[in-house]
Amino acid sequence: MHAPGDVALFERFARYYERFSPATNERALRAGLALADRDIERVLDVGGGTGRAARVLDAPERVVVDAAAGMLAEARRVGLDCVRGDGAALPIADDSVDAVVIVDALHHVADQAGALAEAERVLRPGGVFVCREFDRATVRGQALAAGEHLVGFDSEFFTPEELAGAVERTGLDAAIPARGFGFTVAGVKR
C-alpha cells in the first residue's frame, strides 16, 4: 500500500500523466488568485507535477515544487523552473512568494497541515494561497477516493469547509470562491 505523499506511483506514470489528468480549471484558479492584496510576480505550484497549473498562469516567475523527479522532468521539458521538495518542508525562503497554488494534489500530501503551514510561511504579506481540491462529500468525490485507494493511494480528501478551517488555522484569511465536486479554497496573508 502506498502512503499519501508516496511518489513512487507518480514516478512510474510521469510520462503519461498529461494524457490522463483533467485539465486545470483556469477560471477557478484565477478567481482564487484575484483575492491577493498584491501583484502576483512569483508563484509556487506545490505538488505541481508536470506544471499543469503553472502553465495557465501569467506570472513572470512560476516555480513547480514536487517530490517526484519524473514529474519535474516533464515540467522542465515545457520550460518551467522546478525545485524538488516536499510540500511540508518547502526549500523556499520565508516571505518570498506572492502566491502558492496546490491543484489536485493536497490529498496526496502526507503532512497536509505542514503543507498549509509552509504555504503561509513562504507567502509575502498580501499574498494568496489557492488550493483546488475535490469534495469528498459529493458522490463523485466518494468515487474518486475509492478509485485512488484501489490503485494504492491512501489519499485524504476534505470538504470545502474543512479545508477552509485548516487554512484559517495557519493564520490566513480563508474564503471559498468556488464550490462543487472540484472546489477552491483561498487564504490571504495579512
Side-chain angles (χ1 to χ4, degrees), residues 2 5 72 96 108 129 152:
H2 298 282
L72 293 176
S96 64
H108 290 294
F129 166 72

Side-chain angles (χ1 to χ4, degrees), residues 129-146:
F129 166 72
V130 180
C131 186
R132 289 282 302 157
E133 266 297 336
F134 302 105
D135 187 347
R136 68 175 170 79
T138 66
V139 171
R140 288 175 66 194
Q142 292 166 5
L144 177 63

Side-chain angles (χ1 to χ4, degrees), residues 1-188:
M1 188 67 109
H2 298 282
D6 184 351
V7 299
L9 226 48
F10 287 103
E11 291 288 5
R12 281 194 285 252
F13 69 85
R15 289 192 329 203
Y16 309 104
Y17 183 78
E18 292 287 328
R19 293 182 193 163
F20 300 106
S21 61
T24 299
N25 184 329
E26 183 177 347
R27 189 176 66 161
L29 190 56
R30 289 186 188 280
L33 291 169
L35 297 174
D37 288 337
R38 63 179 304 118
D39 289 338
I40 297 177
E41 301 290 325
R42 186 174 191 219
V43 177
L44 285 186
D45 183 1
V46 177
T50 60
R52 287 182 307 128
R55 287 194 307 259
V56 302
L57 302 175
D58 56 6
E61 186 178 356
R62 299 165 297 164
V63 179
V64 178
V65 179
D66 202 285
M71 297 293 267
L72 293 176
E74 297 300 313
R76 280 188 193 93
R77 260 191 207 101
V78 295
L80 293 169
D81 292 329
C82 299
V83 175
R84 191 167 183 193
D86 180 346
L90 293 172
I92 306 295
D94 293 359
D95 302 320
S96 64
V97 300
D98 305 307
V100 174
V101 299
I102 301 178
V103 178
D104 307 341
L106 186 61
H107 60 274
H108 290 294
V109 176
D111 181 1
Q112 295 170 332
L116 296 176
E118 281 291 276
E120 187 279 334
R121 178 185 67 77
V122 302
L123 280 173
R124 293 179 176 126
V128 65
F129 166 72
V130 180
C131 186
R132 289 282 302 157
E133 266 297 336
F134 302 105
D135 187 347
R136 68 175 170 79
T138 66
V139 171
R140 288 175 66 194
Q142 292 166 5
L144 177 63
E148 288 207 1
H149 293 154
L150 188 63
V151 298
F153 288 119
D154 190 19
S155 305
E156 184 178 341
F157 293 89
F158 296 91
T159 65
E161 293 75 20
E162 290 167 343
L163 184 53
V167 168
E168 284 278 341
R169 287 189 291 281
T170 70
L172 299 175
D173 289 342
I176 306 171
R179 291 179 180 271
F181 163 61
F183 68 89
T184 306
V185 168
V188 178

